[in-house]
Amino acid sequence: MLFDTHAHLNDEKFEEDREAVIARARENGVSYICNIGYNRETIETSLELAHNYDFIYTAIGWHPQDAKTLTDADLEWIEQLARDEEKVVGIGEIGLDYYWDTSPKDVQQEVFRKQIRLAKKLNLPIIIHDRDAHQDLLDILREEKAEEVGGIMHCFSGSPEMAEQCMAMNFYISLGGPVTFKNARKPKEVAERVPLDRLLIETDCPYLTPEPYRGKRNETGYVRFVAEQIAALKNISFEELAEITTKNAKKLFQI
Ligand code: NI
């Protein structure tokens, strides 16, 4: 029983063998998947996946890298889908990305704020993308009172101290492939210190492939390597880790 809380199975890298990848996920014990739509095109294809597979759910939102393209009509469209579609379980991924910096920072921040307000209006959790923007991100979450809906710090890359601040605002800490990397001290420390009832696991496939397949295309079935690593760090069984993280995700997404 595993819950991959962040996948991009609608990505073009799965065009040739998407069905086989999803079948392999099931063989590897994945019971639930939250797939992410982050712009017009991927929201549509993510919904399609959620319609086709009963164990696939979707979050929808506008990625910070595309922030400058978001129109009022897009935002209304997202709101309508979130209201109409049962399989929409969250708003995201949304947040700030100062690494690629493809949209100006002030635009990213405004689009992020608008989507937090939308999630609060819909009473849906938010899925956060944060790259090199820790402080601004925390400030905005606090100012917008995001704790009213909470959500997921997706592929969390901050310190244990930052994780504390996020948990205090009602967020779960989700770890992916990097926790398996040999020299990745921070995510391992985070895995050790975050209490089990605040932890989630994910792949972010096709990106961030865990060991032993680092460097190759990632897929949802590999979430078990993430679970194995965290279970070892926490000194508990794989089964226990799988069960608790699945329970956490189901509670958050209300499924
Ligand atoms: Ni993602």
Side-chain angles (χ1 to χ4, degrees):
M1 187 202 285
L2 294 162
F3 198 136
D4 182 359
T5 61
H6 197 110
H8 297 280
L9 292 165
N10 47 344
D11 192 277
E12 59 186 18
K13 291 196 177 68
F14 295 114
E15 211 165 286
E16 305 281 305
D17 61 347
R18 185 168 294 112
E19 272 180 47
V21 166
I22 293 170
R24 277 202 294 278
R26 302 293 275 172
E27 285 159 23
N28 279 287
V30 174
S31 313
Y32 302 93
I33 299 166
C34 181
N35 199 78
I36 311 292
Y38 53 83
N39 57 23
R40 273 264 166 190
E41 192 193 342
T42 59
I43 286 172
E44 277 168 4
T45 51
S46 190
L47 270 168
E48 220 175 280
L49 271 178
H51 288 154
N52 291 342
Y53 295 90
D54 59 353
F55 53 91
I56 299 183
Y57 294 79
T58 183
I60 60 176
W62 216 259
H63 200 283
Q65 275 177 253
D66 299 327
K68 64 180 178 209
T69 69
L70 180 81
T71 63
D72 288 345
D74 292 325
L75 205 60
E76 280 164 30
W77 176 63
I78 291 170
E79 176 172 355
Q80 203 51 50
L81 287 175
R83 289 189 193 283
D84 293 346
E85 299 276 352
E86 250 177 69
K87 299 295 278 297
V88 173
V89 292
I91 297 298
E93 53 188 298
I94 62 176
L96 301 173
D97 194 318
Y98 292 173
Y99 179 82
W100 292 107
D101 209 13
T102 47
S103 287
K105 285 181 185 172
D106 58 330
V107 176
Q108 289 192 38
Q109 292 171 9
E110 195 46 39
V111 163
F112 184 31
R113 286 180 192 276
K114 278 183 184 165
Q115 293 184 94
I116 297 172
R117 288 172 202 157
L118 173 63
K120 286 169 67 179
K121 195 164 142 193
L122 294 162
N123 197 27
L124 283 174
I126 53 182
I127 291 91
I128 301 291
H129 172 104
D130 163 25
R131 194 145 182 212
D132 295 352
H134 297 339
Q135 195 52 55
D136 284 358
L137 189 109
L138 286 171
D139 289 345
I140 290 174
L141 289 177
R142 212 166 281 129
E143 286 164 17
E144 296 294 333
K145 297 190 176 19
E147 77 271 9
E148 286 172 25
V149 283
I152 302 177
M153 302 304 294
H154 139 64
C155 197
F156 184 72
S157 60
S159 63
E161 292 71 29
M162 182 182 172
E164 295 284 346
Q165 296 184 56
C166 296
M167 288 187 280
M169 283 191 282
N170 204 12
F171 280 83
Y172 287 84
I173 306 298
S174 184
L175 296 173
V179 76
T180 69
F181 299 169
K182 278 193 184 62
N183 49 5
R185 271 201 17 243
K186 243 202 285 182
K188 288 190 207 293
E189 239 182 277
V190 167
E192 283 165 359
R193 287 186 33 194
V194 169
L196 277 171
D197 66 353
R198 302 310 291 175
L199 261 185
L200 297 173
I201 53 174
E202 64 171 70
T203 57
D204 200 22
C205 65
Y207 314 105
L208 294 174
T209 313
E211 295 287 1
Y213 296 119
R214 190 176 180 181
K216 306 217 167 70
R217 183 189 70 174
N218 198 2
E219 60 177 72
T220 280
Y222 297 169
V223 76
R224 74 186 168 94
F225 298 116
V226 175
E228 278 167 9
Q229 175 69 77
I230 299 174
L233 288 165
K234 288 194 117 35
N235 242 319
I236 59 171
S237 69
F238 171 83
E239 287 75 21
E240 193 182 349
L241 191 277
E243 195 188 316
I244 295 173
T245 50
T246 300
K247 206 173 100 190
N248 292 344
K250 286 181 73 177
K251 185 176 163 196
L252 176 71
F253 292 137
Q254 296 189 28
I255 56 178

